[in-house]
Amino acid sequence: MMISSVDSEKVITEFQKKIETFSTMKQLTFLERKELILKGNETLKRPSYHL
């Protein structure tokens, strides 16, 4: 069975789109986590032990 170049290109572009959306989702969750930690630190007002 022969796969045409158009079909393989379509598969590659769809795969790249999936990777892009996955990486953006990871970035968003990381930033959201960072924001939550910062907000938590502001409300607690604990002294930092990291010198």
Side-chain angles (χ1 to χ4, degrees):
M1 186 174 121
M2 288 289 292
I3 299 172
S4 69
S5 61
V6 175
D7 284 346
S8 59
E9 280 179 28
K10 194 186 290 182
V11 169
I12 289 167
T13 51
E14 284 177 13
F15 187 68
Q16 284 175 335
K17 283 179 186 174
K18 283 181 183 177
I19 290 171
E20 285 173 10
T21 53
F22 181 72
S23 63
T24 51
M25 278 170 55
K26 273 180 83 173
Q27 285 176 347
L28 278 171
T29 52
F30 175 74
L31 288 172
E32 286 170 4
R33 236 181 283 146
K34 205 172 179 183
E35 279 182 20
L36 280 171
I37 291 166
L38 286 171
K39 284 179 185 171
N41 287 346
E42 283 176 10
T43 55
L44 291 172
K45 295 286 183 189
R46 283 188 188 158
S48 64
Y49 298 103
H50 303 286
L51 299 174

